[in-house]
Amino acid sequence: MADSHDLPAPWIELLKLVRAGDTARTVHLLARLDAAGRKAIAAELPRYVTAQSRERNGWWDWHEQFSPLIMAGVACLGGAAAVAAWVFRREFRWRKEDARDPGWILELVRDRPEAWRADVARRMVGRLRPLDTAEWEIVAALVRETAIEPPAGDAFVIGWLLTLDPRSAGADPLFAHLAPRIFEPAGLAEAFSARQIWAVGQLVADGLLERADVIDGLVGRLLRDGPSGPVALADLHERLQLDLVEAAGRARDYVRLLPAAPVPVADMALAQLKRLDGAGRLEEELFAEAVEGLAFRPEKKLLRAAVSWAGEAVTRVPGRTDAALSVLATIFRQDVLDLQERAVRLAVRLAGQAGEQGRAAVIEAAGGLPDGLREQISMAYGETIAEEVAVAASLVAGPGPRPLPPIASPEELAQEIVAMGWPLGVHAFERILAGLVEWADREPQALREALRPWGQLDRAQFGFYGHDVIEGGYELLRRVVHAFAAPEDSAKLSQAIAQTRRRQDAGGPLDGLFQQRARELIAPFESGAGYPVLLAAPTSGTGHVDPETLLDRLERLEAAGVEALPADLAQALLRLPRGIDQAIVERAGKLTSDAGRACAAWLASGGPADPQVTCWVSSRRAYHGGDYKDVHAELSLSLPDPLAPFHELFAPGTGHTYTLEWWPSAMPSHREVVAAHLAPYLPASLESNDRQVVVLASLAHGDGPVGTAMGWALACGMGHRNAADRAAATDALLTLAARGEVPAAALGEAVAELTAEEIVKLNRVISALDEATQAGAHAAVWAVIADLLPRLLPAQGERPRSGLADLLAAGARAARTAGARGDIPELAAVAARKGSSRLVQEARRLHHLLTQ
C-alpha cells in the first residue's frame, strides 16, 4: 500500500474510524463528505480489503472493521452493481449484526436517484441467500423504502419468516405480499422453529392470517415434502387446536401422511384420525387405508400404534375385522418378535369374526412366523400352516468406480481448469494433472495460449491465506497450472513460498502422495524443462495403473533422457495390480534407468509384503472438559527403496479431512493399508453430513487382503448417523461378500470395541447388517453376528446393552435365510434364563433356530 503521505485525507480520516470499529462515527463522516471525498475513498476501499484479506490470519482478526467498511462502500462506490456486490462481499459475512445498520444505509443512499436506489434493491435481492438475516434486514429496508415490487424468491420469504413479529407484522407493507407464501419456500425446515410457530399461531389468533388458509398450507406442505416434511409444522398444527369439523375435512390428507411422513408428523396425523374415529367421523375406507399405511412403517412405535388401533377399532365396529386382520398379517412379516406376538394375540382373538378375506391374509402371512406363533395361528384358524421357506436375494457386487475420459485437447483442458472447484475430487485431480503433462509436452504453445488468463490470478488462488500457505491437492494443482502458464511469475511465487510459514491442507498422510506429485512438477515447468509423461496417471477407476502402460511410460522417459520424479514413480508402483505376468517382468528387466530398475525389482518381488495392523481406542481430555475418544491404527510395513523417502506417509494419523475419497486410489492393491488410514479418520464424520463415509464403497473394489483395519473402517461406516452414508458401508460389505472377502471376525471385534467405547451406536450397525441380509449377504452377516454375540451377550447379573435384542432378531433373520446351524454357548445361556423379556425371547428364538 502507498505511504500514508500519498493517501487522500478523507481516506486517512476514515481509516482511523474503520480500524476502531466505530460504525456510527463512520456514517457521520460519510454523510458530510463531498463528491471528491467519496471518490477518493472509493478508489482505496477495494485495495484495502484485498490487502487485509491476505495479511490477516482470518476473519476473526479484523471483523470489527466489517460494518464500517460496508457503510463506506455503500456511500462511496458509484454503480448500483458495485454497491450490491460490496454489501455481500464474502469477507463481510462474519460482521456483527447491529439493528441500526439498515437505517444507516438508507440514510447514506437517500440522496441518490430513485431509479438507482431501486436498482440497488433489486440487485441485493438477487444476491440474498437463505438464512442471511443480517443482510435480509438491509435488503428489506431498501425494498420498503423504494416501494419496488416485493420479491417472491425463497431467500427473501425465509428472511421475512425468520424476522416475523406478530406485534408489528400488520403494519409492514411486505406482509400482504409475503403472507400467502409462508409454506412455499424451499429450506422451510431450517427456517421454521418455535419462534415461527408462535408468530404464525398468534397472527391466526389475531385474525391477520386466515385460519383455514394456514391449516391448508401447512398440511399441503407436509404432503408435498413426504419423508422430508418440516417437523415444526406438526407442532404448529397442534398449536392451532383444530376442531372436529376442521379435522374431518382433512381426514384424507392425514391418511396420506401416514406411510412416509417423519415420525412426529405421522404421530400428529394418527392422533387426528383416532380422534375422528372415536367420534364416529372416520369413513371405513379411510380407516382401512390408514392402518395399512401404518403397518408398512419401519418404526416400532408406529407399528405398535397400528396394532393397538386395530384392536380398539374392531371392538367398536365389528365390521372392520377383515381390515384389521389384513394389517396384522402385514405386521407378521415385520420379523420383530414382540410386535409379532402382539399381532398374533389379536389375530387369535379375532379368528371367530374373520371373514374370507381376513382369514386368507392371516394364513398366507403366518408361514413366516416363528414356530410357536405359527402354531397358535394354525390352532385358531383350524389349518396347518407350513413354515415359509426363506428366499435369498441374489448377491451381486455393485459397480466399481469408473475413470473419467482423458482430456482431448488444450482447449478442453483450459475449460476444465477454469471450472475446477473445491472440494476437488480425486478423479478430476488425476485427469487434469495427466492432461496438463500430456498437452504441455505435445502442444505447449496451444496450451499456453489457452491458459493465457492464468498468469493474472490473485495469489489467494494459490493457497496464500494471511501468513500461511495452504498446500492441499487443490491449491497445488492450481500452482502446477500456473507454473506452466506463467513460469516467471510462478518462480517468484515459489520464492515467496520458500520464505513463508507453510502448512498442508487439513488432510491425512496419504494426501501427501498426491500433494508431492503435484509439487514436484512445479520446478520442471518453471524451468521450461517439462516432464514428458505422468507415470502414476490411473488407467482404471480404482486407481490401478496397467503394468504394460507403465512400462511404455518408463520407456518414453528413458528415450527422452528424463529422470522419473520420485513421488510419481512411488505412486505408480503402488498402483500396480497384484499377480503380474512373467512376460511383463521380463520386459521390465530390460529397462536401464534407475526408475526402470526399481520397477523391475518391484515386479519381480511382488511389491511390499502385506502389513500387520493393530487398531485400538484411546481417551483424552477435551478442551471443554470430559473425555474424547480417538481411534488409532498402527502398521508394521516394510517399504522398498522407491517408497523410503515417503515413509512418513505410511503412519496413520487421526482427525478430520474432506479428502478420504482420494485414499483408495493412492494404493488400490493394498486395501488393508488404506483402511488402516481410514479407520482413525472416519469417527470424526459419523455425526456429520460431509459424505466422507462413501469412501468405503470404492475401497472395497480394490485389491489385496483385508483384516483388522477393514473391519474397523467398516464398523465406523456402519455406525453413521445418516442412512445414505450407512448405505455406502453396506455397499462395501456387499462387494466384499460377493467376492468372499468379508473379514467377519475383525468386523465383529471392531463393532464390539467401538460400541463399548460409545463411538458407534449398535442400532445403526444392526440397520446396516439388516440391509445387507435383504440384499443377499445373509451368510456373511450371520458370520459377523455369530462372532459378535459372544462378545456382547451379558453374563448372568450383567445389564444388557441397548439394542442387543435387535441384534438377536437381525441374527435370526440372517441365520434363517442362510440355513445356519450350530451352538453358541453364550446364546444358550441367555435363552435358558427365566422371564419373558424381549432379550430372552429373541435369544430363545435364535437358539431354537440354530439347534432345531
Side-chain angles (χ1 to χ4, degrees):
M1 186 173 290
D3 186 271
S4 61
H5 296 296
D6 300 327
L7 296 173
W11 172 250
I12 296 174
E13 187 177 0
L14 174 72
L15 202 53
K16 293 176 183 177
L17 300 176
V18 166
R19 288 174 172 165
D22 193 336
T23 309
R25 292 178 63 194
T26 296
V27 172
H28 181 68
L29 169 65
L30 295 167
R32 58 185 174 83
L33 283 176
D34 58 15
R38 293 189 177 193
K39 184 177 180 180
I41 289 174
E44 298 294 336
L45 275 173
R47 287 197 291 267
Y48 177 76
V49 172
T50 299
Q52 293 294 297
S53 297
R54 291 177 182 172
E55 295 168 9
R56 298 284 183 161
N57 289 322
W59 64 267
W60 56 88
D61 201 24
W62 60 303
H63 68 281
E64 72 282 350
Q65 300 185 31
F66 294 166
S67 285
L69 285 169
I70 288 175
M71 300 302 161
V74 168
C76 300
L77 296 175
V83 170
W86 184 261
V87 171
F88 284 89
R89 190 169 171 130
R90 183 178 58 183
E91 293 91 341
F92 300 156
R93 290 194 65 188
W94 307 106
R95 71 183 178 89
K96 185 178 179 180
E97 292 187 43
D98 190 320
R100 296 172 293 178
D101 286 352
W104 280 333
I105 287 178
L106 290 180
E107 178 184 340
L108 291 172
V109 301
R110 200 155 275 147
D111 60 346
R112 303 275 191 129
E114 182 179 345
W116 183 94
R117 287 183 288 125
D119 191 17
V120 167
R122 293 189 187 95
R123 290 177 183 275
M124 286 191 182
V125 165
R127 288 178 172 270
L128 194 64
R129 296 176 296 265
L131 309 181
D132 284 350
T133 53
E135 287 79 5
W136 185 88
E137 293 282 10
I138 293 171
V139 175
L142 281 166
V143 170
R144 294 183 183 110
E145 176 85 1
T146 57
I148 66 170
E149 182 180 354
D154 288 350
F156 195 80
V157 178
I158 284 177
W160 176 75
L161 262 176
L162 290 171
T163 58
L164 185 59
D165 187 339
R167 293 166 295 188
S168 58
D172 185 356
L174 299 176
F175 183 81
H177 297 274
L178 299 180
R181 297 210 59 225
I182 288 177
F183 303 108
E184 294 180 9
L188 186 66
E190 290 76 22
F192 219 91
S193 61
R195 188 181 185 282
Q196 283 67 47
I197 293 169
W198 166 77
V200 173
Q202 192 60 47
L203 287 168
V204 171
D206 294 342
L208 291 174
L209 288 175
E210 286 290 337
R211 179 180 175 86
D213 291 345
V214 170
I215 296 171
D216 288 342
L218 75 87
V219 172
R221 179 59 186 259
L222 290 171
L223 285 169
R224 288 197 303 275
D225 285 1
S228 58
V231 171
L233 296 188
D235 296 330
L236 175 60
H237 187 284
E238 292 301 309
R239 178 185 171 89
L240 293 174
Q241 293 291 303
L242 276 67
D243 60 32
L244 279 174
V245 174
E246 290 173 321
R250 296 165 178 85
R252 193 169 299 277
D253 291 333
Y254 296 139
V255 171
R256 290 165 59 200
L257 285 171
L258 289 178
V263 172
V265 176
D267 280 342
M268 175 273 290
L270 177 60
Q272 293 297 324
L273 290 168
K274 291 182 71 173
R275 176 179 168 223
L276 290 170
D277 195 27
R281 304 193 63 165
L282 186 65
E283 298 173 13
E284 297 304 306
E285 172 197 356
L286 292 181
F287 165 77
E289 187 179 343
V291 289
E292 183 180 0
L294 282 174
F296 284 99
R297 296 284 306 218
E299 300 87 1
K300 297 187 186 75
K301 172 185 176 182
L302 294 176
L303 292 171
R304 292 189 187 101
V307 176
S308 297
W309 189 16
E312 296 166 5
V314 170
T315 301
R316 266 195 324 273
V317 186
R320 289 176 170 176
T321 300
D322 277 7
L325 288 173
S326 295
V327 170
L328 298 176
T330 301
I331 291 175
F332 286 179
R333 299 188 180 279
Q334 288 287 350
D335 204 15
V336 179
L337 189 57
D338 64 329
L339 280 169
Q340 289 175 327
E341 288 177 338
R342 289 187 183 201
V344 166
R345 281 197 300 269
L346 182 55
V348 168
R349 179 161 66 86
L350 297 177
Q353 307 170 35
E356 184 177 343
Q357 180 182 352
R359 178 184 176 84
V362 167
I363 291 173
E364 181 183 358
L369 290 169
D371 291 349
L373 298 179
R374 190 172 67 255
E375 290 169 4
Q376 292 182 42
I377 296 294
S378 293
M379 292 177 62
Y381 285 78
E383 185 165 334
T384 301
I385 301 173
E387 181 181 4
E388 190 176 274
V389 178
V391 178
S394 298
L395 179 60
V396 179
R402 295 182 178 180
L404 296 172
I407 292 176
S409 68
E411 293 73 24
E412 182 184 351
L413 176 59
Q415 292 171 4
E416 291 293 322
I417 290 169
V418 169
M420 188 169 64
W422 188 93
L424 184 66
V426 64
H427 298 296
F429 172 88
E430 294 290 2
R431 183 170 184 257
I432 292 173
L433 195 67
L436 180 64
V437 169
E438 177 185 359
W439 290 106
D441 185 68
R442 287 176 58 181
E443 296 185 22
Q445 292 306 317
L447 180 57
R448 193 162 280 116
E449 181 64 27
L451 295 176
R452 182 184 296 275
W454 202 262
Q456 303 169 8
L457 292 182
D458 189 283
R459 286 192 175 188
Q461 301 286 338
F462 304 108
F464 275 90
Y465 292 89
H467 300 294
D468 293 333
V469 177
I470 293 179
E471 292 197 317
Y474 172 76
E475 289 81 11
L476 284 165
L477 181 55
R478 296 177 72 89
R479 285 191 56 210
V480 176
V481 176
H482 186 58
F484 173 80
E488 292 183 5
D489 187 61
S490 178
K492 296 176 183 176
L493 186 66
S494 296
Q495 185 177 7
I497 288 174
Q499 301 169 355
T500 303
R501 188 166 72 244
R502 176 182 300 180
R503 65 182 176 90
Q504 289 187 349
D505 198 9
L510 289 185
D511 291 308
L513 279 170
F514 299 95
Q515 293 162 6
Q516 186 56 30
R517 283 174 57 216
R519 189 181 291 114
E520 67 187 6
L521 283 168
I522 294 171
F525 281 146
E526 287 178 350
S527 68
Y531 191 60
V533 62
L534 205 61
L535 299 177
T539 57
S540 77
T542 59
H544 281 101
V545 173
D546 174 70
E548 290 196 82
T549 301
L550 177 57
L551 296 185
D552 292 341
R553 293 168 178 174
L554 284 166
E555 288 169 355
R556 183 174 170 185
L557 283 185
E558 287 187 0
V562 176
E563 288 292 331
L565 295 172
D568 187 32
L569 174 63
Q571 190 152 54
L573 296 177
L574 285 169
R575 285 175 162 172
L576 285 169
R578 292 173 178 250
I580 304 297
D581 290 343
Q582 185 59 33
I584 294 175
V585 177
E586 293 173 359
R587 179 184 167 191
K590 299 176 183 178
L591 295 168
T592 58
S593 63
D594 290 344
R597 287 191 291 270
C599 179
W602 182 289
L603 293 173
S605 67
D610 293 310
Q612 294 295 316
V613 180
T614 305
C615 295
W616 70 96
V617 176
S618 71
S619 298
R620 59 184 170 88
R621 297 293 291 178
Y623 70 91
H624 50 71
D627 288 336
Y628 189 87
K629 303 289 182 67
D630 287 316
V631 172
H632 300 274
E634 185 174 76
L635 290 167
S636 60
L637 185 65
S638 178
L639 299 176
D641 289 343
L643 301 182
F646 310 102
H647 64 91
E648 73 280 1
L649 305 181
F650 297 92
T654 186
H656 179 269
T657 177
Y658 288 98
T659 56
L660 298 190
E661 172 213 353
W662 295 48
W663 296 3
S665 69
M667 40 198 319
S669 292
H670 304 272
R671 288 179 298 183
E672 186 72 351
V673 177
V674 176
H677 283 269
L678 289 173
Y681 276 84
L682 286 171
S685 294
L686 296 190
E687 300 298 323
S688 73
N689 296 316
D690 60 14
R691 304 293 293 147
Q692 294 303 293
V693 170
V694 298
V695 64
L696 294 171
S698 58
L699 175 65
H701 285 280
D703 201 0
V706 293
T708 297
M710 181 65 86
W712 280 67
L714 280 175
C716 288
M718 293 163 72
H720 201 284
R721 177 188 66 185
N722 294 336
D725 291 273
R726 288 198 301 273
T730 305
D731 285 346
L733 183 63
L734 292 173
T735 297
L736 293 172
R739 295 163 62 165
E741 297 175 339
V742 174
L747 180 52
E749 178 186 10
V751 171
E753 183 71 16
L754 290 166
T755 52
E757 295 289 349
E758 298 182 341
I759 293 173
V760 163
K761 295 182 178 179
L762 184 59
N763 65 317
R764 297 174 181 175
V765 175
I766 294 168
S767 172
L769 290 172
D770 261 335
E771 291 284 341
T773 294
Q774 294 169 19
H778 40 273
V781 169
W782 171 244
V784 173
I785 294 177
D787 182 89
L788 186 56
L789 287 176
R791 303 176 190 273
L792 296 185
L793 285 172
Q796 187 69 41
E798 287 183 352
R799 183 177 179 180
R801 69 180 61 196
S802 176
L804 197 49
D806 289 327
L807 179 65
L808 290 167
R813 289 187 282 274
R816 181 167 177 261
T817 308
R821 297 292 182 270
D823 186 23
I824 300 175
E826 295 84 354
L827 176 65
V830 176
R833 293 179 189 173
K834 296 180 180 180
S836 58
S837 69
R838 183 167 173 243
L839 175 69
V840 172
Q841 288 182 315
E842 291 288 3
R844 288 170 184 162
R845 173 165 70 139
L846 178 56
H847 178 66
H848 175 71
L849 190 154
L850 293 174
T851 57
Q852 65 183 348

